[in-house]
Amino acid sequence: MTDSAKPVRLLGLSGSIRRHSHCTAVLSTLAGSLGDKAEMTLFPLNEIPPYDPDLDAENTPAPATALRDSIAAADGLVIISPEYNYGMSGVLKNALDWASRPAMKSPVRGKPILIMTASPAFTGGVRAQHEMRETLSGMMGRVIARPQVVIGMVHEKIKDGRLTDQAALDFALAAIDDLLAEVALLRGAKGA
């Protein structure tokens, strides 16, 4: 099977670990809406310990290793965060710190990434997008250039753990299409 014939594997990371997380609901809805375009699995960040370079130097905790391995195995990442104090969640930032190692050789390097935010505020967490983009760019990830996916008033758009607002879902799925196009472009470059 050629590289371009392999199914596209996306990894979803939610910056919220709440039991009824709006961000996780958005990712779950997207994963269930992809059809045969791609498969997306979600990696929960609940077990990722606080980043500690001393731990990473000798005996990296299993959850951090599993995160790195999952990122390495994925063709692209879909990362969504709530906005806390104008930035991404600490849970997400901590996970990205683990994923950023080893420096200059992390599994995020060169990986196509779609970023999203969701918030009960009408702004949809848009201020957190800048911080996410800066962090992921510093990790040498390929954050795709496109209109920002922000889902404002998200608490009114989630029903029974699903994103039910059709306009928000359609816009997010169009963003996934842009991510898949970036993945195809990279696969084509590797196959050339």
Side-chain angles (χ1 to χ4, degrees):
M1 181 183 294
T2 64
D3 197 40
S4 62
K6 289 181 187 174
V8 176
R9 294 167 303 174
L10 301 178
L11 183 68
L13 301 177
S14 171
S16 173
I17 58 174
R18 289 188 322 125
R19 188 174 344 123
H20 300 294
S21 162
H22 298 129
C23 290
T24 304
V26 169
L27 282 180
S28 295
T29 305
L30 290 171
S33 301
L34 293 175
D36 61 358
K37 289 182 188 180
E39 50 192 53
M40 180 163 55
T41 58
L42 278 54
F43 189 99
L45 303 180
N46 305 58
E47 303 299 321
I48 305 293
Y51 182 70
D52 181 345
D54 290 338
L55 286 179
D56 200 23
E58 294 178 18
N59 193 13
T60 303
T65 299
L67 173 63
R68 289 175 182 159
D69 291 346
S70 295
I71 291 170
D75 297 303
L77 306 178
V78 181
I79 303 177
I80 186 168
S81 181
E83 181 178 279
Y84 295 152
N85 302 312
Y86 294 5
M88 74 176 109
S89 71
V91 167
L92 179 58
K93 177 62 168 73
N94 179 63
L96 293 178
D97 287 344
W98 278 107
S100 72
R101 313 311 292 168
M104 310 305 284
K105 296 178 185 171
S106 86
V108 175
R109 183 184 177 126
K111 191 78 60 177
I113 305 167
L114 171 64
I115 60 173
M116 304 179 175
T117 51
S119 170
F122 75 93
T123 55
V126 70
R127 292 169 293 211
Q129 293 245 349
H130 175 74
E131 184 180 38
M132 292 171 70
R133 185 174 300 278
E134 285 293 306
T135 296
L136 290 161
S137 295
M139 296 165 66
M140 292 184 271
R142 293 174 64 116
V143 179
I144 63 169
R146 68 163 332 275
Q148 293 177 329
V149 179
V150 295
I151 304 173
M153 310 296 284
V154 70
H155 62 294
E156 297 176 359
K157 297 175 181 175
I158 303 287
K159 303 274 188 288
D160 300 320
R162 307 276 305 156
L163 176 63
T164 57
D165 183 89
Q166 196 61 49
L169 180 57
D170 289 346
F171 191 70
L173 286 170
I176 295 276
D177 286 343
D178 290 345
L179 175 62
L180 295 176
E182 184 72 13
V183 168
L185 184 70
L186 281 178
R187 281 182 168 186
K190 288 178 182 174

